[in-house]
Amino acid sequence: MTARVLVVDDVLANVRLLEAKLSAEYFDVVTAMNGVDALDAVSSARPDIVLLDVMMPGLDGIEVCRRIKANPATQHVPVIMVTALDQPEDRVRGLEAGADDFLTKPVNDVALFCRVKSLVRLKMLTDELRSRTSGDPLRLLQSELAEADKAPANILVVDNGATLGDRIRNALAGLHKVSVAQTPQEALEAFGGPPVELVIINLDMEGVDALRVCSQLKSVEQTRQTPILIIVDPEDRPRLLRALDLGVNDYLMRPVDRQELLARVSTQIRRYRYTERLRTSVRASMEMAITDALTGLYNRRYLETHLAEVITHAVNRGRLVSVLTLDVDFFKSVNDTYGHDAGDRVLQEMAGRLRAIIRNSDLACRTGGEEFVVVLPGTDLHSAERVGERVRKMVAAKPFLAAPGCHLTVTISLGVASLLNVEDTPEELLKRADRALYRAKREGRNRVSLSAA
């Protein structure tokens, strides 16, 4: 895995040791030996992850972490605190400052590489979402999440024992909503209700392979993005490392400290909500890129891509494809007489009527102005003509509400064309349909015209 790692430690031997280990795994390593230089390196080197010593003179690791996480430009960079301290209160201080995890000196190589790779994968996912999101993702984080973080989260505890679920529920009382699943099946069924934002799994369940539960949750589309926090015995390091390799996001060692539990839960929920909002923004951006804002139908850009795929699919399987091009008659007079708002309402209702009459496999698009295209997979020319005639009659049968108290009779003209041979292209198919449409307008509006073969 190629990623840039910033190693920060005031002891040169520690820096060189971590640098050698990470370089051997093909990481790009940047180093700093004090807090001030570390902050400069975060800004200039743009690392994918920071390994940060806690005990440093002057600006210590806790304060460096706090400043990294307080800066909107760097707060998404994962930070692992590397320390000789191993008390719960020390971990809580780091987690409250925004640290993503802790490694205790001397650092175990397997734990180091597993944790670094896990957090780097998460960072790369976040970077991809940030690059694709519309608007300013930093503003998104600061504004929407500041308010969202206050809302209680739905947390699922997976354990078939008698006490862990109750202890976690009591520890999080008043902050979050906790439910308990005693079997893997119950855990999966819990995702059918309110969104689950964190799963806490007891790695030492009686008669249940908890690692398999983790694997299942990370394999299913519905649950893949939900963070998992496991409860593990300190001596059970092999299964802990295996869990991290499976994609588990975080862990707590027994005995569970309440303050550390609160801090780790808060961190996981905050990160989950951030990435979910980025995903929502990405989906909205993609929808905006392929849909017409006024009618909600697909736009010309999507039509060109989709029609090419439909034709390829049809040619490969020896099937037919037809298209309808349609145009609202005398639409300019609607805008001129009643105003553009009335014209917009006519187009929106036109889109609604098209959706109501076409099949689920058909595709309706607005290609510009008052022009629409309907793609009809598996339909020959004369069947497409009958579809066009149904559309024409459906549009003319009922007046359109252009404004309160103002009903307009709207008619349309249509052109129909079908795929001719294996060398036919989307552009040629649409041009033939357009020529048929123009012929319909010449011969008399409100009619359907077939393309010439």
Side-chain angles (χ1 to χ4, degrees):
M1 175 180 291
T2 301
R4 178 165 295 174
V5 183
L6 172 61
V7 176
V8 185
D9 199 307
D10 62 324
V11 178
L12 182 60
N14 293 340
V15 171
R16 292 291 178 253
L17 179 61
L18 285 174
E19 183 179 19
K21 290 180 177 182
L22 292 164
S23 296
E25 293 293 317
Y26 304 104
F27 288 99
D28 178 16
V29 183
V30 181
T31 64
M33 296 191 64
N34 60 66
V36 174
D37 289 346
L39 292 173
D40 290 340
V42 170
S43 298
S44 60
R46 302 173 66 86
D48 295 299
I49 192 167
V50 179
L51 296 181
L52 181 60
D53 185 34
V54 173
M55 304 297 291
M56 293 188 296
L59 206 62
D60 68 9
I62 298 294
E63 182 58 28
V64 172
C65 181
R66 184 175 290 110
R67 294 190 186 187
I68 291 173
K69 296 298 183 176
N71 184 346
T74 61
Q75 59 189 341
H76 63 289
V77 178
V79 176
I80 297 179
M81 309 296 285
V82 184
T83 176
L85 304 175
D86 194 26
Q87 296 301 312
E89 57 268 23
D90 298 315
R91 293 196 294 270
V92 169
R93 285 181 61 229
L95 292 169
E96 289 177 343
D100 295 88
D101 202 3
F102 268 83
L103 289 173
T104 304
K105 297 178 182 179
V107 176
N108 177 278
D109 288 0
V110 179
L112 169 67
F113 298 138
C114 191
R115 211 67 186 115
V116 167
K117 290 176 182 179
S118 174
L119 287 171
V120 165
R121 282 195 296 266
L122 181 62
K123 163 71 162 46
M124 289 179 173
L125 169 63
T126 303
D127 284 348
E128 180 181 358
L129 292 171
R130 285 161 58 90
S131 68
R132 295 169 59 186
T133 189
S134 62
D136 183 358
L138 301 181
R139 177 192 58 77
L140 173 74
L141 179 67
Q142 291 172 314
S143 59
E144 292 188 16
L145 291 186
E147 188 63 30
D149 280 345
K150 301 175 183 177
N154 290 309
I155 298 174
L156 175 66
V157 177
V158 183
D159 181 44
N160 56 11
T163 60
L164 180 63
D166 289 337
R167 289 203 302 269
I168 292 177
R169 184 183 285 113
N170 292 335
L172 302 179
L175 299 173
H176 302 292
K177 302 174 184 177
V178 179
S179 59
V180 179
Q182 294 190 337
T183 67
Q185 183 62 33
E186 288 181 12
L188 291 174
E189 290 174 353
F191 283 82
V196 177
E197 296 178 273
L198 176 65
V199 181
I200 301 177
I201 298 178
N202 179 10
L203 208 60
D204 193 28
M205 285 187 284
E206 183 70 28
V208 175
D209 186 348
L211 289 178
R212 185 173 296 278
V213 177
C214 296
S215 177
Q216 289 175 337
L217 291 175
K218 287 299 181 182
S219 301
V220 178
E221 179 66 28
Q222 184 184 11
T223 61
R224 183 174 299 145
Q225 305 302 335
T226 306
I228 298 175
L229 186 154
I230 58 173
I231 309 296
V232 59
D233 291 326
E235 63 273 14
D236 200 3
R237 184 167 294 273
R239 287 209 302 162
L240 167 60
L241 297 178
R242 181 62 179 144
L244 293 173
D245 191 48
L246 288 171
V248 166
N249 303 78
D250 206 348
Y251 60 89
L252 277 169
M253 295 290 190
R254 289 190 177 88
V256 175
D257 178 79
R258 181 178 183 274
Q259 292 305 314
E260 185 175 2
L261 171 67
L262 292 174
R264 290 193 182 276
V265 165
S266 176
T267 296
Q268 291 302 320
I269 292 171
R270 184 170 62 249
R271 184 186 296 137
Y272 172 77
R273 288 175 174 176
Y274 175 53
T275 55
E276 281 301 294
R277 277 159 181 77
L278 286 179
R279 287 190 186 92
T280 299
S281 183
V282 168
R283 286 193 292 267
S285 298
M286 293 175 65
E287 290 176 3
M288 289 174 62
I290 64 174
T291 57
D292 171 57
L294 177 64
T295 63
L297 298 178
Y298 288 107
N299 59 18
R300 178 177 288 278
R301 176 187 298 179
Y302 184 79
L303 168 67
E304 293 170 351
T305 302
H306 179 79
L307 183 56
E309 294 175 353
V310 169
I311 289 177
T312 300
H313 182 84
V315 167
N316 290 339
R317 289 162 176 77
R319 296 178 181 175
L320 297 170
V321 177
S322 296
V323 295
L324 306 177
T325 57
L326 60 97
D327 188 278
V328 179
D329 297 331
F330 307 109
F331 185 72
K332 184 177 183 299
S333 65
V334 175
N335 282 332
D336 292 344
T337 304
Y338 302 99
H340 287 278
D341 287 346
D344 288 349
R345 282 190 285 272
V346 167
L347 294 176
Q348 288 168 339
E349 188 168 346
M350 176 67 69
R353 295 192 186 189
L354 281 177
R355 289 193 194 94
I357 199 170
I358 64 174
R359 302 169 300 180
N360 291 335
S361 59
D362 300 334
L363 178 79
C365 305
R366 181 189 177 207
T367 55
E370 68 274 25
E371 300 167 354
F372 298 81
V373 172
V374 180
V375 180
L376 304 169
T379 307
D380 62 28
L381 185 66
H382 292 288
S383 297
E385 179 187 18
R386 290 194 293 271
V387 173
E389 183 63 21
R390 287 202 304 272
V391 172
R392 185 193 67 80
K393 290 181 177 178
M394 178 268 298
V395 169
K398 181 181 178 182
F400 282 55
L401 180 63
C406 175
H407 290 80
L408 300 177
T409 298
V410 176
T411 63
I412 58 174
S413 300
L414 300 98
V416 184
S418 290
L419 194 66
L420 293 179
N421 53 59
V422 297
E423 297 180 353
D424 216 351
T425 67
E427 293 77 17
E428 292 169 347
L429 183 59
L430 290 171
K431 284 180 181 178
R432 291 200 303 275
D434 283 340
R435 287 197 295 269
L437 172 62
Y438 297 146
R439 186 166 59 251
K441 287 183 172 294
R442 287 197 308 269
E443 295 174 357
R445 296 176 186 270
N446 189 26
R447 57 180 291 148
V448 180
S449 176
L450 300 180
S451 66

